[in-house]
Each structure stands twice: as C-alpha cells, then as structure tokens.
Amino acid sequence: MEKEMNVTDNDNFDTMADQELIVLRKTISVDQKFATGPVMGKFLTALKDKRILAIQCPECGRLQSPPREMCAICRVRNREWVEIGPRGEMRMMEYCYYSSPDPLTGESRETPYGAIGILLDGCQKEEVFWHLLRPEHLEMVEMGIVMGDRVTRGTRLRPVWAQERSGSIDDIKYFEIDE
Amino acid sequence: MGFKKKNRHVGIVGIGETKFSSHREDVNQPEMIHEAVKDALEDAGLTMDDIDCVVHGNMELFEMVHQPDLWHTLGTGARGKDAFRLTTGGTTGGTLVGAADNLVAAGMYDTVLAIGFEKLQEGHTTGGITNMADPLWARKLQSGALTDSAAVKAIAEFGPDRAKKAAMLYRIIMDKHACLNPNSHRAFGLDWDQMADLMENSPPLIGDLRLIHMCSQSDGACAMILSSEEKAKQQCDHPVWIRDHITIHREETLNLCVNHYPNETTHRFAARHLYERNGITDPLDYFDVFEMYDPSAWWGADWIRDFFLLEGDAHYRLIEEKEIMRGGKMPINPSGGVLAANPIGATAMVRVAEAAKQVRGNAGPHQIPGTVNHAIASSFGGTMWTILIMLEKELNW
Amino acid sequence: MKNSEESDSYIIHGKLALPYTYFAGRTGSTFLTTLRDQRIIMGVKCTACNRVFVPPRQTCERCMADIRSQWVTVESQGKVVNHTVIRYQDKHLPRKPPFVLAMILLNGADTPMTHILEGVNPDRVVKGMEVAAVFSPATTNTLLDIDHFEPVAEPP
Ligand SMILES: [Zn+2]
Ligand SMILES: [Zn+2]
C-alpha cells in the first residue's frame, strides 16, 4: 500500500546517493496472555453453547455485546445479563479490499472481506454486534439505514457456529444470509 | 465540566517542522526529531538553555521502539531536564500542545518545548492500530485506520452522487493547498476535471473509501516552544496566544452503526463547549482559518458540519462553493492538511503549528490572503477523540 | 440471569506479530558499513566537550552540537567498565544463558558500548579487564557484525 501511495511523491531527499544506507526489515513477535475477566469470560463461555449474551446498563438500559463491566456514559456498573440474537439484521458493513496484518501471525488475511455490524434480535438503535460476513455473501447483502424518518431494512443474518468451540471470537465462523 | 481559567497567558514563540516524506533512510529517529527541534529553537531565537521542560510524544507501536523518549534524548535535548512523554494516538500532537499549554499556564514552567514525531515507514500503521483494539474481540475484526463509515453515512444522507462529489471536491481542494506547501509529503497537482476519473478508478480500500481519499503515511517531526506571557513577550515580537483548548474522549467501543448514532459526536460536543465558554456564537464568522485533522476526504467533508455547529447540508455548500479554499469564507487546511502529510505523532501538532504560522502571517507560499486574527486547529484520534485548540493574534479577549 | 463471577475469568493466549523496518540513517550506516567492510570501529568526536561517542550520533546531547562529520577511529580493544550475567532464557536473547553482557570502553572512546563477552567464566569477569572485538564471519548489517568480545589475556 505504501508503494501505491507514494507513486507521485515529491520527496527530495538524497537517499539514492553517495552512500549505502542500511535498512533492516524485521518482524516483532511477542507472546501475550490476556485474562478475560469475569464479564468477558461469561460472554465468551456462552458462545460455546451457541448463545450470545449482552449486558445491560441499569440506568440508560442500553445493551452492550461484547459486554463491558460498566456503562461509560452513565458511569455505573452493568449487572443484568440478557440473551440476544443469535439472528439479526445487517446495519453496517466495512467492505474491505485492503487488510491489516493478523496480529497473531504478521500476515495479512485474504481480501475482500466484510466486517459487519448486526442488530441482533432484542437489540435496538446503536446496539450492534461486530463480526464477519460469509465471504460468498459479500455482494448479496443490504445495509439497513436509519436516517431521520427514513428507515430501510437490512438483510437478515444468522451465525454459522464453529464445530469446535473454545470460548473465543472464533466460535462464530461468520454470519450468513438468513432469508 | 471542571474547566478553570488559566493562571496566566501562554504564547507560541517558536515553531519547527521537518519536510514530510514517505521515507527518511538518511536519518534515524532522534536525528529526524532534532531537525524539527533545531528549526524551532532557531525560529524562537533560543537555545536549549532557555527550555525548562520537554514534552515529547509519538504513536505507540508505529515505529516499533519501546520508550523511544530515552533514545530520542539525543535529538530532543531533554538531557538533564524535566521531560514527559505522552501518547494518545492520533491526538498525540494536540495532547502535547495542550499539556505544554497547561504546564506553562499553571506556572510549573516558563518555557516548554513540545515535540511530536513519527517514522511511519519504520512501523506498520494499520497493524499497529489493530493492536489498539480489544484483543479478545475487535482485534480480529478491525480494519486498521481505514473505515468507510463516514462514506456510508454521507451517502445515506445526501445520496451517492452529491456525497461522492463533495468528498472528491474536498480532496482536490486539499491537494491544491498541498501544492503550495513546500513541506507537503503528497502534492499531486490534481485538477477539477480529474474528479470523475478518480471517483471511478482510484483503488478501493474499504467500500467507497478509495486510496485517493486517504491520508498518507509520512515520516517527519514538529516542535513548538510555548512560553508564559512575560517570557513570551521578551523572547518574541509577536507570540501567537493559545486562548483555550479542549480535549474530549469517549468509550472505546467502536460502534459500526454510525448511521443511527444517538450521541453527539465528540467533535460537535467539543466545539459546542469550547465556543460556549469563550462566548463565540458564530464560529464560521469568528475564525479566519481552520487547520483540521482530516484523516480522509470523507471524514474531512463530513466533520466541517460538526466543528462549526452547522445543520443540514451547510457544510456541503461550503465545499461546493469552494468557500473552504484559500481566499474563501473559511479556509480549511491551507497546509494541505493530513491528506498532504501524516506523520501521526506529529500530525495534530502540525495542525496547531500551521494555524499559528497563518496567524503570524509567515506561513510561506501557502499563507492565506488577509489578516488572520483568530485560528482554530483540531486533533483526532483513538476511537473518536477530539482536541480543539484556539489561537489568537492579540491578547484582547 | 446469574451475575458473572471471578470463576468466569480465564486466560486466552495471543501474540503480537508485526513487520517493521529500521533505518540506520547516514551516521549509523557509515558506522555499520565500516564495521562490516573494513572491520574498523568508528566514533564521532564532539569538539565542544571533547568526548568521543561510540556508537556514533549526529548530535552531542550535552552541547546540542552537530558532530556528524567529526569521525574518529577507535581501537577494537578496550576495558570492561561494567557487566551483568544473563541467567534466563528467552527467544529474543542472542545467546543461551548464562552469558555476559558487558559495557566496554574502547580505547579512544569516551562512551562505553554494550556487547556480548565470551571466553571467560561469567563469575570471573572483573572491572578493568582488557577485551578485544571478535568480528563475525557473516554480516547482519548490525552491531552483531562484531560477534562478541573476548579477554585479551588469559584471566588470572
Ligand atoms: Zn448507561
Ligand atoms: Zn559535546
């Protein structure tokens, strides 16, 4: 991507030059461990049973999934859990022609792919759930739009669960068309 | 908000910038930083002996050096001085100016050197940003610094034809500005008759966000010297006064459903509070120039509405009537903005530096016509964080 | 639904792998290519404070003087001024533990350079020990073109 962007650079540095300039290319690779904590842990564990949980703010009532310990708007601890989905309506898609390196490998994933926001059943307004779209369905879906009085429905989607589930984001392979 | 008036006025007395470029194999990090530091000291007519404190910043993971401020002492001049490193993502440069402003205003130091830098070719920008996301969920999904959410929103509201044209018009105006700025990393020489071609043929990145819409990945540094009113008047004939600044954060959740977002954006929230507490009722009329942190043409075109508290399509009309060009009603980014150069840890500071140069009247070939009395600069970063910094030519508010 | 409890927390293993590039710059490149091609260690001298920096740098951080053109050659031999013994194993380390990392003040230099010290029992390293560079047969375009340092004379 850098290359394409720099095609018409107006750089005037004498880097071609009179001298060999040392450039080292490396990959940093660090092992990491993350504690899920009780809130994210409960959510991820439920995925093993093909259930999607959201946590609810006791003050404004909004649902968050993946869940957060607290509502950052109301600054109160979230306590109530509700099951949402697993089906829903597509509200937003990032149709990605360019991909970032997978942090696990440093390699870039296949493109194009669709990162999507799904309004799972039981949720409203901005309470969308973030996952991937089945690649074969990229060209076949519509985003639902709410713009003032204008409301259009998005494509109905359902999760495709992984055969082996370990309590991680990969327990859902992707969402696919449910129509 | 617990906002308090400053203890004392703070003025910008020195500004330094490197040329921005896609690659600087000829210098390492402290060497590149030192170019900007030297430039700022020369601009102010000061030496490191005059500097009480150094505030230094970068975007973490973007140039792959842990605690770069240690190594960078060779270039920053921080040896034996009070020093801080701040890192708040895209907003870093604005945070640096804000922190330096606070340190001087509070009376902690009389003269502070703030330095932002980035060598984006040394790290991996979108990869680095992906690591900002929640490692248990969003890291797997996030598309780095790239998003077409602004395009989706604009197209839903104004239709594809008008929205795409406005974004490309904005892009070409920025390029025309960039062509006048000798420090630009990218200045293509685009013209109006290329709009249709670029809208069709520029390589797509995400949805309707194309390569031409997106900011560059640049190497470069920026340094600014801020002093108390008393010192500033001794050090400099015409300091540029920092009247006020505001920093607004929000939760990290990256909400994709921006087409039904119930909350006021951080940009509008920040602008509303800043103008209210400074008694500015018509910001479009009050300010003479705006340096905006515009990561993409889609965002830049959209954000004008929030920053100036406009409604409906008022922001599009400003673009369509080219009122955001130099010589227009509200010149936006005479420097060419972030689309012209994006050394991320410095980018937001470059906005303030460029706005201050416009106030001084010595920006160079891209100086806008007329006197600039009031300027504003924005920073953007994280998951929608905003900083706004207000500059004044005279100490008369 | 039952509230979350501590027992709901567990560990997920991850990794951060990212490609990056390092530009040595003109000064750094001169140092590295001279080391590689001529097996000569060079520094730069600040004429303001009279100090010789190895590895070199463009500015003296004390005097803020531009010293990039003031090259001097230093000896590839010098004295240990400090050292530590690395006793843990990790994939990023250049040797299997235990091994010695020493700060070596090369003759003609005013700043010590950190490098690997071999050829001596880690428990017998002393301050002031005379050591010399052993150059690497293969180049990596890094400071490891000096493979390690070793004592000039047999340790007592
Ligand atoms: Zn709430
Ligand atoms: Zn010196």
Side-chain angles (χ1 to χ4, degrees):
Chain A
M1 182 163 134
E2 286 85 357
K3 251 200 198 99
E4 287 171 84
M5 283 193 168
N6 297 330
V7 172
T8 49
D9 272 351
N10 58 355
D11 294 351
N12 58 3
F13 294 103
D14 51 347
T15 50
M16 309 303 281
D18 44 324
Q19 175 185 359
E20 177 187 348
L21 294 172
I22 302 292
V23 174
L24 300 172
R25 295 186 198 285
K26 306 265 181 191
T27 295
I28 186 174
S29 180
V30 183
D31 293 331
Q32 298 178 305
K33 275 190 256 182
F34 299 104
T36 62
V39 172
M40 196 65 183
K42 185 181 174 77
F43 163 79
L44 291 170
T45 303
L47 296 176
K48 287 198 226 177
D49 305 328
K50 301 188 183 182
R51 296 189 309 137
I52 302 175
L53 302 183
I55 204 162
Q56 188 160 33
C57 170
E59 292 208 358
C60 68
R62 75 168 166 148
L63 297 174
Q64 285 181 280
S65 183
R68 291 291 179 246
E69 294 76 10
M70 59 175 299
C71 173
I73 295 172
C74 306
R75 295 190 183 87
V76 292
R77 186 171 288 280
N78 294 326
R79 293 201 183 277
E80 285 305 310
W81 289 88
V82 286
E83 188 170 343
I84 55 172
R87 289 172 151 82
E89 178 197 329
M90 195 174 97
R91 300 307 289 273
M92 173 72 193
M93 174 164 73
E94 300 267 24
Y95 191 125
C96 303
Y97 299 92
Y98 169 84
S99 87
S100 306
D102 182 337
L104 293 175
T105 60
E107 304 292 325
S108 293
R109 80 176 94 199
E110 267 183 52
T111 55
Y113 71 98
I116 54 172
I118 313 141
L119 193 68
L120 293 178
D121 295 342
C123 298
Q124 51 175 336
K125 291 182 175 177
E126 84 284 13
E127 295 160 359
V128 292
F129 186 80
W130 201 5
H131 211 278
L132 298 168
L133 181 69
R134 181 173 180 157
E136 297 87 346
H137 291 176
L138 262 172
E139 308 288 346
M140 301 154 62
V141 289
E142 292 282 338
M143 295 183 218
I145 304 266
V146 181
M147 187 65 67
D149 303 336
R150 212 149 46 81
V151 181
T152 62
R153 274 184 77 80
T155 307
R156 293 285 300 173
L157 301 174
R158 63 174 169 241
V160 176
W161 298 94
Q163 212 64 6
E164 302 272 315
R165 293 182 300 281
S166 61
S168 87
I169 182 171
D170 297 322
D171 289 1
I172 301 172
K173 279 171 77 177
Y174 40 65
F175 281 75
E176 64 176 10
I177 295 172
D178 182 39
E179 282 173 352
Chain B
M1 253 188 294
F3 167 70
K4 296 235 177 8
K5 233 175 111 63
K6 286 182 180 182
N7 279 336
R8 52 182 184 169
H9 293 302
V10 179
I12 298 164
V13 298
I15 299 169
E17 274 179 39
T18 63
K19 160 101 173 78
F20 302 111
S21 121
S22 62
H23 51 88
R24 287 296 305 272
E25 291 96 332
D26 58 326
V27 281
N28 67 18
Q29 293 174 19
E31 291 164 356
M32 188 184 71
I33 287 163
H34 190 65
E35 291 176 9
V37 170
K38 216 174 136 198
D39 198 26
L41 288 169
E42 275 169 18
D43 182 59
L46 301 178
T47 71
M48 279 312 294
D49 293 343
D50 301 304
I51 305 296
D52 303 318
C53 172
V54 175
V55 187
H56 179 33
N58 72 318
M59 177 103 175
E60 282 177 315
L61 269 184
F62 274 21
E63 68 293 305
M64 290 294 170
V65 177
H66 184 57
Q67 285 199 273
D69 39 332
L70 303 179
W71 180 30
H72 292 177
T73 301
L74 295 178
T76 60
R79 183 184 177 279
K81 294 184 185 293
D82 284 15
F84 303 91
R85 180 167 64 97
L86 299 166
T87 173
T88 63
T91 39
T92 294
T95 304
L96 292 167
V97 176
D101 185 26
N102 286 357
L103 287 169
V104 176
M108 295 299 294
Y109 306 98
D110 286 336
T111 301
V112 174
L113 169 65
I115 311 161
F117 100 103
E118 210 70 66
K119 286 195 88 178
L120 283 184
Q121 292 308 316
E122 299 202 355
H124 197 295
T125 322
T126 50
I129 285 195
T130 301
N131 281 278
M132 168 188 90
D134 169 5
L136 300 182
W137 199 262
R139 197 188 261 195
K140 193 93 180 182
L141 305 168
Q142 207 197 359
S143 46
L146 306 170
T147 173
D148 80 327
S149 53
V152 169
K153 191 177 125 189
I155 289 169
E157 188 170 357
F158 298 104
D161 191 51
R162 191 178 182 194
K164 286 181 190 181
K165 270 188 191 152
M168 193 52 66
L169 202 51
Y170 181 94
R171 179 66 189 89
I172 291 179
I173 290 170
M174 290 307 127
D175 189 64
K176 287 191 176 295
H177 289 171
C179 285
L180 294 174
N181 180 356
N183 283 343
S184 292
H185 163 192
R186 296 192 309 170
F188 296 112
L190 303 178
D191 223 330
W192 314 115
D193 59 5
Q194 286 172 272
M195 280 183 58
D197 175 45
L198 289 169
M199 286 194 285
E200 280 296 305
N201 298 322
S202 173
L205 296 174
I206 296 192
D208 283 297
L209 176 80
R210 293 173 181 272
L211 191 57
I212 190 66
H213 293 122
M214 198 60 200
C215 60
S216 60
Q217 305 190 68
S218 313
D219 290 359
C222 182
M224 291 175 72
I225 302 170
L226 278 63
S227 285
S228 63
E229 179 181 353
E230 192 190 340
K231 282 270 178 188
K233 283 175 170 168
Q234 292 164 15
Q235 291 163 342
C236 182
D237 288 339
H238 300 289
V240 177
W241 304 105
I242 301 181
R243 175 163 169 180
D244 197 359
H245 66 87
I246 188 167
T247 302
I248 300 297
H249 282 200
R250 53 162 280 197
E251 62 185 320
E252 48 81 38
T253 314
L254 284 153
N255 200 318
L256 277 167
C257 195
V258 287
N259 51 14
H260 197 152
Y261 194 64
N263 300 319
E264 198 176 29
T265 67
T266 51
H267 291 340
R268 187 173 281 260
F269 185 93
R272 194 164 54 77
H273 280 82
L274 185 74
Y275 303 154
E276 264 170 25
R277 74 191 187 196
N278 285 284
I280 291 162
T281 48
D282 185 355
L284 207 52
D285 184 57
Y286 184 80
F287 292 106
D288 301 310
V289 68
F290 176 32
E291 274 286 337
M292 191 207 307
Y293 194 122
D294 53 347
S296 80
W298 282 105
W299 263 336
D302 182 44
W303 290 351
I304 295 170
R305 180 164 59 176
D306 283 334
F307 283 127
F308 290 104
L309 308 179
L310 303 172
E311 301 294 338
D313 67 348
H315 59 308
Y316 268 27
R317 280 184 278 122
L318 282 174
I319 298 169
E320 286 157 358
E321 288 155 23
K322 301 196 178 109
E323 294 287 5
I324 62 166
M325 270 188 96
R326 46 184 285 118
K329 182 174 174 49
M330 176 50 64
I332 294 179
N333 295 345
S335 65
V338 186
L339 301 174
N342 185 29
I344 296 187
T347 300
M349 187 187 283
V350 176
R351 306 281 67 75
V352 187
E354 286 292 335
K357 284 189 197 171
Q358 293 291 342
V359 174
R360 297 200 307 200
N362 65 351
H366 56 293
Q367 177 70 42
I368 58 172
T371 311
V372 178
N373 290 310
H374 318 287
I376 186 158
S378 78
S379 316
F380 163 74
T383 51
M384 297 292 177
W385 295 348
T386 305
I387 300 176
L388 283 172
I389 297 175
M390 268 177 79
L391 305 178
E392 298 282 350
K393 191 181 187 76
E394 307 295 342
L395 257 180
N396 60 0
W397 62 86
Chain C
M1 205 177 290
K2 195 172 79 66
N3 236 318
S4 47
E5 293 168 1
E6 267 173 50
S7 58
D8 289 322
S9 183
Y10 60 100
I11 299 288
I12 289 185
H13 289 266
K15 193 197 253 185
L16 188 158
L18 283 176
Y20 73 100
T21 310
Y22 170 72
F23 298 159
R26 286 189 172 278
T27 307
S29 295
T30 300
F31 173 74
L32 290 172
T33 52
T34 315
L35 186 66
R36 180 194 66 195
D37 301 338
Q38 301 173 48
R39 301 196 161 182
I40 288 174
I41 303 172
M42 293 185 87
V44 287
K45 182 171 186 165
C46 175
T47 46
C49 66
N50 242 354
R51 283 145 41 96
V52 172
F53 295 95
V54 180
R57 56 191 58 179
Q58 280 194 359
T59 47
C60 171
E61 86 271 23
R62 292 194 184 199
C63 311
M64 278 287 118
D66 191 329
I67 55 175
R68 74 183 77 181
S69 59
Q70 295 155 26
W71 288 100
V72 292
T73 301
V74 299
E75 290 179 27
S76 57
Q77 191 169 320
K79 285 186 176 62
V80 172
V81 294
N82 208 338
H83 80 285
T84 189
V85 184
I86 309 296
R87 298 192 190 275
Y88 74 104
Q89 184 151 15
D90 205 334
K91 63 180 180 181
H92 68 267
L93 293 170
R95 295 285 190 276
K96 277 214 160 68
F99 71 98
V100 177
L101 279 182
M103 292 176 77
I104 297 154
L105 189 66
L106 295 173
N107 297 333
D110 290 296
T111 56
M113 181 169 79
T114 303
H115 217 295
I116 302 157
L117 179 58
E118 290 186 348
V120 54
N121 182 328
D123 299 328
R124 311 286 293 265
V125 180
V126 291
K127 207 170 163 178
M129 183 179 257
E130 285 280 343
V131 295
V134 175
F135 291 89
S136 169
T139 183
T140 51
N141 279 333
T142 70
L143 192 56
L144 288 176
D145 281 8
I146 300 172
D147 188 74
H148 62 273
F149 281 79
E150 64 182 23
V152 173
E154 277 296 303

